[in-house]
Amino acid sequence: MAGQRVEIDGGIMEGGGQILRVSTALSCLLGLPLRVQKIRAGRSTPGLRPQHLSGLEMIRDLCDGQLEGAEIGSTEITFTPEKIKGGTHTADTKTAGSVCLLLQVSMPCVLFAASPSELRLKGGTNAEMAPQIDYTLMVFKPIAEKFGFKFDCDVKMRGYYPKGGGEVIIRMSPVKQLNPINLTDRGTVTKIYGRTFVAGVLPFKIAKDMAAAAVRCIRKEIRDLYVNIQPVQEPKEQAFGNGNGIIIVAETSTGCLFAGSSLGKRGISADKVGIEAAEMLLGNLRHGGAVDEYLQDQLIIFMALASGVSRVKTGPITLHTQTAIHFAEQLTKAKFTVNKSEDEDDSSKETYIIECQGIGMTNPHL
């Protein structure tokens, strides 16, 4: 069924690994042969990095496809997909490359596999420039499951920058079709909770200080809610290397979830890490949207595949989201519209409605 190859310009818009993830996942799902050029062309280290390579190899293995040009530093690949199959698949970035980004590329594909899948993903669980695994569990999972699928995520080992060494196991069953979602009613914030962690040789006091600083920062703006941030010492047998960080989640009366997170780095005080996460959360609560800025782009591919019209209210549209929409439209023929919210409550804010008429992808195996 190999028709005309779809040509993708990997250098436009967000211009990074995200273009690769969206386009190869959709290529795999739709059986479209693909050529991606100018991969990460504008980055300081252009071309494929280890984590992108492991994501590509995983997609190839998921569908017994053919992949050419896939090596570190390569700026052009061609991919010819075949049938998606279930079973056990392993992807190892061999670095602190994010397991959450590996999950982003593989999850849409295994939803349309012939049988249940187990994905063993190795790398960084709490890495820079990517969602933390805690975000995936606490925010992405409950919202993504509104599309009508379930997944189980078992964190075997946490891994931090620069060593990686983490491992998560994802188990999920295929679905016949995805339901559209409607996330437009944000409700009021009812709960704020989270965790701060230290791993390895770092003193527990850092976890307590991050939590205390974050609580103080949130209290200035939200006075009437108890903020429950638990400091945790990651057990030795479940964490590889040294790391510290924080995630804080706000839950609303309608089940919307927003987060702020931050990772410790050498030379940055615990207070500063806590405050950064708190400010990120508060920023995500100010714009009036029903999802935070990190969930925005992660929902696009599912909206494109769902049957029916999905609507999501968001704050300012991120470049990642614009990029995901562009490539989802190019590959799937789903129709997206982005309009400023008409609600009078939102008139003073940067609030938008992303609407998508999905293609109603059905699983041929079920």
Short mmCIF file of all heavy atoms in Angstrom, two decimals, residues 237-279:
data_model
loop_
_atom_site.label_atom_id
_atom_site.label_comp_id
_atom_site.label_asym_id
_atom_site.label_seq_id
_atom_site.Cartn_x
_atom_site.Cartn_y
_atom_site.Cartn_z
N GLU A 237 16.45 1.83 46.11
CA GLU A 237 16.28 0.79 45.09
C GLU A 237 15.33 1.23 43.97
O GLU A 237 15.11 0.51 43.01
CB GLU A 237 15.82 -0.54 45.72
CG GLU A 237 14.42 -0.54 46.33
CD GLU A 237 14.36 0.17 47.69
OE1 GLU A 237 15.41 0.65 48.20
OE2 GLU A 237 13.26 0.23 48.26
N GLN A 238 14.78 2.44 44.09
CA GLN A 238 13.86 2.91 43.05
C GLN A 238 14.33 4.21 42.40
O GLN A 238 13.55 4.87 41.71
CB GLN A 238 12.46 3.12 43.64
CG GLN A 238 11.73 1.80 43.87
CD GLN A 238 10.47 1.99 44.69
OE1 GLN A 238 9.93 3.09 44.78
NE2 GLN A 238 10.00 0.92 45.31
N ALA A 239 15.57 4.58 42.65
CA ALA A 239 16.07 5.81 42.04
C ALA A 239 17.53 5.64 41.69
O ALA A 239 18.33 5.17 42.50
CB ALA A 239 15.89 6.99 42.99
N PHE A 240 17.89 6.00 40.46
CA PHE A 240 19.26 5.87 39.98
C PHE A 240 19.87 7.26 39.90
O PHE A 240 19.35 8.13 39.22
CB PHE A 240 19.22 5.21 38.60
CG PHE A 240 20.58 4.92 38.04
CD1 PHE A 240 21.27 3.78 38.43
CD2 PHE A 240 21.18 5.78 37.12
CE1 PHE A 240 22.54 3.50 37.91
CE2 PHE A 240 22.44 5.51 36.61
CZ PHE A 240 23.12 4.37 37.01
N GLY A 241 20.97 7.46 40.62
CA GLY A 241 21.62 8.77 40.55
C GLY A 241 21.01 9.76 41.52
O GLY A 241 20.20 9.42 42.39
N ASN A 242 21.43 11.01 41.39
CA ASN A 242 20.99 12.07 42.30
C ASN A 242 20.06 13.02 41.58
O ASN A 242 20.28 13.36 40.43
CB ASN A 242 22.21 12.87 42.77
CG ASN A 242 23.27 11.98 43.38
OD1 ASN A 242 22.97 11.13 44.20
ND2 ASN A 242 24.51 12.15 42.93
N GLY A 243 19.04 13.45 42.29
CA GLY A 243 18.13 14.42 41.67
C GLY A 243 17.21 15.02 42.71
O GLY A 243 17.04 14.47 43.80
N ASN A 244 16.65 16.18 42.39
CA ASN A 244 15.59 16.74 43.23
C ASN A 244 14.65 17.54 42.36
O ASN A 244 15.02 18.03 41.30
CB ASN A 244 16.15 17.60 44.37
CG ASN A 244 16.85 18.85 43.89
OD1 ASN A 244 17.87 18.79 43.21
ND2 ASN A 244 16.30 20.00 44.23
N GLY A 245 13.39 17.62 42.80
CA GLY A 245 12.42 18.35 41.99
C GLY A 245 11.09 18.41 42.70
O GLY A 245 10.93 17.93 43.83
N ILE A 246 10.13 19.03 42.01
CA ILE A 246 8.83 19.27 42.62
C ILE A 246 7.76 19.28 41.53
O ILE A 246 8.03 19.72 40.40
CB ILE A 246 8.84 20.62 43.38
CG1 ILE A 246 7.44 20.97 43.92
CG2 ILE A 246 9.35 21.76 42.49
CD1 ILE A 246 7.44 22.18 44.86
N ILE A 247 6.59 18.76 41.85
CA ILE A 247 5.42 18.94 40.99
C ILE A 247 4.25 19.31 41.89
O ILE A 247 4.09 18.73 42.98
CB ILE A 247 5.11 17.70 40.13
CG1 ILE A 247 3.84 17.97 39.28
CG2 ILE A 247 4.94 16.44 40.96
CD1 ILE A 247 3.65 17.05 38.12
N ILE A 248 3.47 20.31 41.45
CA ILE A 248 2.29 20.74 42.20
C ILE A 248 1.12 20.73 41.23
O ILE A 248 1.23 21.22 40.10
CB ILE A 248 2.43 22.18 42.74
CG1 ILE A 248 3.85 22.45 43.23
CG2 ILE A 248 1.43 22.44 43.86
CD1 ILE A 248 4.15 23.93 43.40
N VAL A 249 0.00 20.16 41.69
CA VAL A 249 -1.18 20.03 40.83
C VAL A 249 -2.36 20.74 41.47
O VAL A 249 -2.57 20.63 42.68
CB VAL A 249 -1.53 18.54 40.61
CG1 VAL A 249 -2.83 18.38 39.82
CG2 VAL A 249 -0.38 17.83 39.89
N ALA A 250 -3.12 21.48 40.66
CA ALA A 250 -4.37 22.06 41.14
C ALA A 250 -5.51 21.33 40.44
O ALA A 250 -5.46 21.10 39.23
CB ALA A 250 -4.43 23.55 40.80
N GLU A 251 -6.51 20.95 41.23
CA GLU A 251 -7.66 20.22 40.69
C GLU A 251 -8.88 21.13 40.82
O GLU A 251 -9.02 21.84 41.81
CB GLU A 251 -7.85 18.95 41.52
CG GLU A 251 -8.77 17.94 40.91
CD GLU A 251 -8.80 16.64 41.74
OE1 GLU A 251 -7.72 16.11 42.09
OE2 GLU A 251 -9.91 16.20 42.04
N THR A 252 -9.77 21.09 39.83
CA THR A 252 -10.95 21.96 39.89
C THR A 252 -12.22 21.15 40.12
O THR A 252 -12.22 19.92 40.03
CB THR A 252 -11.13 22.79 38.60
OG1 THR A 252 -11.63 21.92 37.56
CG2 THR A 252 -9.83 23.44 38.16
N SER A 253 -13.31 21.88 40.37
CA SER A 253 -14.61 21.26 40.65
C SER A 253 -15.13 20.43 39.48
O SER A 253 -15.94 19.53 39.65
CB SER A 253 -15.63 22.36 41.00
OG SER A 253 -15.61 23.36 39.98
N THR A 254 -14.64 20.71 38.26
CA THR A 254 -15.11 19.95 37.09
C THR A 254 -14.09 18.89 36.66
O THR A 254 -14.22 18.29 35.60
CB THR A 254 -15.34 20.90 35.90
OG1 THR A 254 -14.15 21.67 35.69
CG2 THR A 254 -16.50 21.85 36.15
N GLY A 255 -13.04 18.68 37.50
CA GLY A 255 -12.06 17.64 37.18
C GLY A 255 -10.93 18.08 36.27
O GLY A 255 -10.18 17.26 35.76
N CYS A 256 -10.81 19.39 36.04
CA CYS A 256 -9.65 19.87 35.27
C CYS A 256 -8.41 19.82 36.16
O CYS A 256 -8.51 19.95 37.39
CB CYS A 256 -9.87 21.30 34.79
SG CYS A 256 -11.23 21.45 33.62
N LEU A 257 -7.26 19.62 35.55
CA LEU A 257 -5.99 19.52 36.28
C LEU A 257 -4.96 20.44 35.66
O LEU A 257 -4.84 20.52 34.44
CB LEU A 257 -5.47 18.08 36.22
CG LEU A 257 -6.36 17.02 36.88
CD1 LEU A 257 -5.96 15.63 36.43
CD2 LEU A 257 -6.29 17.13 38.39
N PHE A 258 -4.22 21.14 36.52
CA PHE A 258 -3.17 22.06 36.09
C PHE A 258 -1.93 21.76 36.91
O PHE A 258 -2.05 21.38 38.06
CB PHE A 258 -3.58 23.51 36.36
CG PHE A 258 -4.84 23.91 35.67
CD1 PHE A 258 -6.07 23.61 36.22
CD2 PHE A 258 -4.79 24.58 34.45
CE1 PHE A 258 -7.24 23.97 35.57
CE2 PHE A 258 -5.96 24.94 33.80
CZ PHE A 258 -7.19 24.63 34.36
N ALA A 259 -0.76 21.98 36.33
CA ALA A 259 0.44 21.68 37.11
C ALA A 259 1.51 22.74 36.95
O ALA A 259 1.51 23.53 36.01
CB ALA A 259 1.01 20.32 36.69
N GLY A 260 2.41 22.74 37.90
CA GLY A 260 3.65 23.49 37.81
C GLY A 260 4.73 22.55 38.31
O GLY A 260 4.51 21.80 39.27
N SER A 261 5.89 22.54 37.66
CA SER A 261 6.94 21.64 38.13
C SER A 261 8.30 22.27 37.87
O SER A 261 8.42 23.19 37.07
CB SER A 261 6.85 20.29 37.42
OG SER A 261 7.12 20.45 36.06
N SER A 262 9.28 21.77 38.56
CA SER A 262 10.63 22.28 38.38
C SER A 262 11.62 21.22 38.87
O SER A 262 11.29 20.42 39.75
CB SER A 262 10.79 23.58 39.18
OG SER A 262 12.08 24.10 38.99
N LEU A 263 12.81 21.23 38.30
CA LEU A 263 13.86 20.29 38.70
C LEU A 263 15.02 21.06 39.29
O LEU A 263 15.34 22.15 38.82
CB LEU A 263 14.36 19.50 37.50
CG LEU A 263 13.42 18.42 36.97
CD1 LEU A 263 13.92 17.90 35.64
CD2 LEU A 263 13.29 17.28 37.96
N GLY A 264 15.65 20.47 40.30
CA GLY A 264 16.83 21.10 40.88
C GLY A 264 18.01 21.01 39.93
O GLY A 264 18.13 20.05 39.18
N LYS A 265 18.85 22.03 39.97
CA LYS A 265 20.11 21.98 39.20
C LYS A 265 21.22 22.45 40.14
O LYS A 265 20.95 23.15 41.11
CB LYS A 265 20.04 22.95 38.01
CG LYS A 265 19.06 22.56 36.94
CD LYS A 265 19.22 23.46 35.72
CE LYS A 265 18.03 24.26 35.27
NZ LYS A 265 16.76 24.14 35.91
N ARG A 266 22.41 22.07 39.81
CA ARG A 266 23.54 22.47 40.64
C ARG A 266 23.57 23.99 40.79
O ARG A 266 23.43 24.72 39.82
CB ARG A 266 24.83 21.99 39.98
CG ARG A 266 26.02 22.02 40.91
CD ARG A 266 27.12 21.11 40.41
NE ARG A 266 26.85 19.71 40.73
CZ ARG A 266 27.56 18.70 40.25
NH1 ARG A 266 28.54 18.90 39.42
NH2 ARG A 266 27.26 17.45 40.61
N GLY A 267 23.74 24.45 42.02
CA GLY A 267 23.87 25.90 42.23
C GLY A 267 22.56 26.66 42.34
O GLY A 267 22.56 27.86 42.50
N ILE A 268 21.42 25.95 42.22
CA ILE A 268 20.11 26.62 42.37
C ILE A 268 19.52 26.24 43.71
O ILE A 268 19.41 25.05 44.02
CB ILE A 268 19.15 26.22 41.23
CG1 ILE A 268 19.83 26.41 39.89
CG2 ILE A 268 17.81 26.94 41.36
CD1 ILE A 268 19.30 27.46 38.99
N SER A 269 19.12 27.24 44.51
CA SER A 269 18.65 26.93 45.87
C SER A 269 17.31 26.20 45.83
O SER A 269 16.53 26.35 44.88
CB SER A 269 18.48 28.24 46.66
OG SER A 269 17.32 28.92 46.21
N ALA A 270 17.05 25.43 46.88
CA ALA A 270 15.81 24.67 46.99
C ALA A 270 14.60 25.61 46.93
O ALA A 270 13.60 25.31 46.28
CB ALA A 270 15.80 23.89 48.30
N ASP A 271 14.71 26.76 47.59
CA ASP A 271 13.61 27.72 47.60
C ASP A 271 13.26 28.15 46.18
O ASP A 271 12.10 28.23 45.80
CB ASP A 271 13.98 28.99 48.39
CG ASP A 271 13.92 28.75 49.89
OD1 ASP A 271 13.96 27.56 50.29
OD2 ASP A 271 13.80 29.72 50.66
N LYS A 272 14.29 28.39 45.40
CA LYS A 272 14.09 28.88 44.03
C LYS A 272 13.36 27.83 43.18
O LYS A 272 12.49 28.16 42.37
CB LYS A 272 15.45 29.22 43.42
CG LYS A 272 15.32 30.21 42.30
CD LYS A 272 16.64 30.87 41.93
CE LYS A 272 16.40 31.67 40.65
NZ LYS A 272 17.56 32.26 40.08
N VAL A 273 13.73 26.56 43.38
CA VAL A 273 13.08 25.47 42.63
C VAL A 273 11.60 25.40 43.00
O VAL A 273 10.72 25.30 42.13
CB VAL A 273 13.77 24.11 42.92
CG1 VAL A 273 13.09 22.98 42.15
CG2 VAL A 273 15.25 24.17 42.55
N GLY A 274 11.30 25.49 44.31
CA GLY A 274 9.92 25.46 44.77
C GLY A 274 9.10 26.62 44.23
O GLY A 274 7.97 26.45 43.78
N ILE A 275 9.70 27.82 44.26
CA ILE A 275 8.99 29.02 43.81
C ILE A 275 8.74 28.96 42.30
O ILE A 275 7.67 29.34 41.82
CB ILE A 275 9.79 30.29 44.20
CG1 ILE A 275 9.72 30.48 45.72
CG2 ILE A 275 9.27 31.52 43.48
CD1 ILE A 275 10.73 31.45 46.29
N GLU A 276 9.70 28.45 41.55
CA GLU A 276 9.53 28.34 40.10
C GLU A 276 8.32 27.47 39.74
O GLU A 276 7.50 27.82 38.89
CB GLU A 276 10.80 27.75 39.46
CG GLU A 276 10.73 27.68 37.95
CD GLU A 276 12.03 27.20 37.31
OE1 GLU A 276 12.38 26.01 37.45
OE2 GLU A 276 12.70 28.03 36.66
N ALA A 277 8.18 26.33 40.44
CA ALA A 277 7.04 25.43 40.19
C ALA A 277 5.73 26.11 40.59
O ALA A 277 4.73 26.03 39.87
CB ALA A 277 7.22 24.12 40.96
N ALA A 278 5.73 26.80 41.74
CA ALA A 278 4.52 27.47 42.22
C ALA A 278 4.10 28.57 41.25
O ALA A 278 2.92 28.71 40.92
CB ALA A 278 4.77 28.05 43.61
N GLU A 279 5.06 29.32 40.74
CA GLU A 279 4.73 30.40 39.82
C GLU A 279 4.21 29.87 38.49
O GLU A 279 3.31 30.44 37.87
CB GLU A 279 5.94 31.33 39.61
CG GLU A 279 6.12 32.21 40.85
CD GLU A 279 7.27 33.19 40.77
OE1 GLU A 279 8.19 32.98 39.94
OE2 GLU A 279 7.26 34.16 41.55
#
